[in-house]
Amino acid sequence: MTRPTLHRVASSVISVLRSHIALPAYVSPLEPFPVESAQLMPANNPLFITARFRSGSTLLWQVFHRLKGFTSYYEPLNERRWFDREHRGDRIDNTHRGVSDYAVNYENLAHLGQFFREDWTYHRLALGSESKEKRLEKYVQAMVEAAPKRPVLQFNRVDFRLPFLKARFPEAKIIHLRREHRDTWRSTLNGAENNQEWTLTSFDGLCRFYLLSWYRDLSLTFPFLWSDPDETHPYEIHYLISRLSELFALRDADVFLDYDELNQDFNGKITTLMNAIGSGDTALSALDGLYEPKPSGYDHSNDDVFYQTLENKVEQRLQQALPLRNT
């Protein structure tokens, strides 16, 4: 199906209004993903964590919250506005084991409300290094300045804003946390099984974790993401956005962690992380009891061929749309 005229017009207008964003080079998923920092860094740099939803980033936030020497902020761009006592509510996701309060370290930060925009969750999800987003810049800067210890901002909404953050906060270091794409997909379904008959149209009422709203916004910035909603399974879009997010991180992040690696050797990988960020002398005893390895992961065997077919299709799309990697 040809891309609708309205979408073509809207995307052409938006591409003018939004600063052009340099796409990352294509890297095959078969290539080993880095799981350590490329270099050591000073111990006082702000840290920005970037991860897809359901990738274990809440666990990483808890790690930095417990360890001495860090002020760890949970999902600063979350529309619940953790700095606003009246707005944030007290609901806790029951899959976030050990969490009782997301608003830790947000007390006395009500002034952040003058910068915050709720539509950061849904709109202008991609920002280039020259993009003009003063409120976001001031919002992040205010959090960094308010932190009494080394600031750690754990994001799930900056995948495609990394060029902007790197340009505005060159002293900050970016930690990317990844998880297998099929696992994050199943996790977003809240216990439901994958249905091979879903389309984007039929999935609309079942969608959680912003998949379709992100797809609508990002496909205007990156028109190659557009797919026929009546012919496209939502896993194809989940994998497409996840892979593109991963490629942005491969280009722009400084430190890489893998959720499955954490699951296999939690203390060992956290030790490696602390060494990479210049905090190798940090005692990890505060993390005792925080994490227990999961005995088994998701079983994808029933949908293996289905998933692989869609993943191959996405890889072909990415190879056609993205620049070649310099070797």
Side-chain angles (χ1 to χ4, degrees):
M1 178 179 178
T2 304
R3 188 159 58 103
T5 301
L6 182 60
H7 191 279
R8 293 201 306 272
V9 172
S11 62
S12 64
V13 171
I14 285 175
S15 67
V16 174
L17 295 176
R18 300 178 182 180
S19 297
H20 291 287
I21 301 164
L23 286 166
Y26 177 78
V27 179
S28 168
L30 299 179
E31 293 191 32
F33 198 90
V35 291
E36 297 181 7
S37 172
Q39 59 184 3
L40 296 179
M41 62 184 66
N44 58 348
N45 299 86
L47 301 172
F48 297 160
I49 298 170
T50 179
R52 295 298 301 145
F53 299 104
R54 313 306 291 174
S55 293
S57 55
T58 298
L59 171 64
L60 202 53
W61 164 69
Q62 291 186 81
V63 166
F64 283 106
H65 172 58
R66 289 196 180 195
L67 294 178
K68 292 183 178 180
F70 302 97
T71 299
S72 185
Y73 297 105
Y74 181 77
E75 289 196 20
L77 304 188
N78 191 295
E79 63 268 35
R80 287 178 65 180
R81 309 183 189 202
W82 309 117
F83 54 83
D84 186 338
R85 184 184 297 272
E86 299 300 320
H87 189 277
R88 68 193 180 214
D90 57 5
R91 178 177 55 83
I92 300 294
D93 185 330
N94 60 16
T95 66
H96 292 164
R97 293 176 294 177
V99 177
S100 59
D101 183 7
Y102 297 118
V104 173
N105 294 323
Y106 282 96
E107 297 302 330
N108 303 316
L109 294 183
H111 64 283
L112 294 176
Q114 66 184 303
F115 308 120
F116 185 84
R117 291 182 55 171
E118 186 170 328
D119 68 354
W120 283 335
T121 293
Y122 310 101
H123 300 297
R124 297 203 75 192
L125 295 173
L127 295 173
S129 59
E130 300 299 322
S131 295
K132 308 301 181 185
E133 187 61 76
K134 281 293 184 182
R135 289 179 64 165
L136 179 57
E137 180 180 352
K138 291 179 178 179
Y139 179 71
V140 173
Q141 185 63 44
M143 299 185 70
V144 169
E145 292 176 353
K149 303 173 185 176
R150 187 178 187 181
V152 180
L153 281 64
Q154 176 258 306
F155 292 106
N156 290 122
R157 294 162 170 82
V158 297
D159 313 48
F160 307 100
R161 293 164 170 153
L162 295 184
F164 171 83
L165 289 177
K166 285 178 70 69
R168 298 301 183 275
F169 301 93
E171 76 285 0
K173 298 302 178 182
I174 298 172
I175 301 171
H176 173 66
L177 175 65
R178 77 179 297 270
R179 186 182 180 188
E180 288 301 316
H181 308 302
R182 299 182 189 184
D183 288 345
T184 56
W185 166 245
R186 287 287 298 277
S187 185
T188 66
L189 300 181
N190 288 351
E193 296 294 326
N194 178 64
N195 184 338
Q196 296 187 16
E197 301 303 317
W198 280 332
T199 66
L200 298 187
T201 303
S202 65
F203 189 66
D204 206 351
L206 304 171
C207 181
R208 298 175 177 84
F209 299 100
Y210 318 102
L211 176 64
L212 296 186
S213 59
W214 275 54
Y215 161 67
R216 293 172 187 129
D217 183 81
L218 290 170
S219 69
L220 292 174
T221 303
F222 307 122
F224 73 88
L225 294 179
W226 186 86
S227 297
D228 184 345
D230 295 321
E231 299 292 335
T232 305
H233 191 277
Y235 178 71
E236 181 177 341
I237 300 304
H238 171 87
Y239 182 77
L240 180 57
I241 291 177
S242 297
R243 277 285 288 138
L244 188 58
S245 166
E246 189 170 83
L247 294 174
F248 266 84
L250 279 170
R251 183 188 65 189
D252 296 332
D254 301 288
V255 185
F256 302 90
L257 283 176
D258 187 285
Y259 179 79
D260 291 327
E261 296 279 346
L262 280 175
N263 190 53
Q264 296 169 12
D265 182 15
F266 180 74
N267 284 341
K269 293 305 175 183
I270 295 300
T271 297
T272 298
L273 172 61
M274 291 299 114
N275 287 333
I277 64 174
S279 297
D281 58 348
T282 301
L284 301 186
S285 57
L287 303 182
D288 292 348
L290 173 61
Y291 183 68
E292 295 181 3
K294 295 183 177 180
S296 61
Y298 290 103
D299 180 2
H300 302 297
S301 56
N302 289 338
D303 292 311
D304 184 66
V305 174
F306 171 80
Y307 287 141
Q308 191 63 61
T309 299
L310 294 184
E311 290 164 3
N312 291 342
K313 180 181 177 182
V314 166
E315 294 302 328
Q316 293 176 3
R317 291 175 66 179
L318 290 173
Q319 288 183 67
Q320 294 172 357
L322 303 182
L324 296 177
R325 186 182 193 186
N326 294 325
T327 56

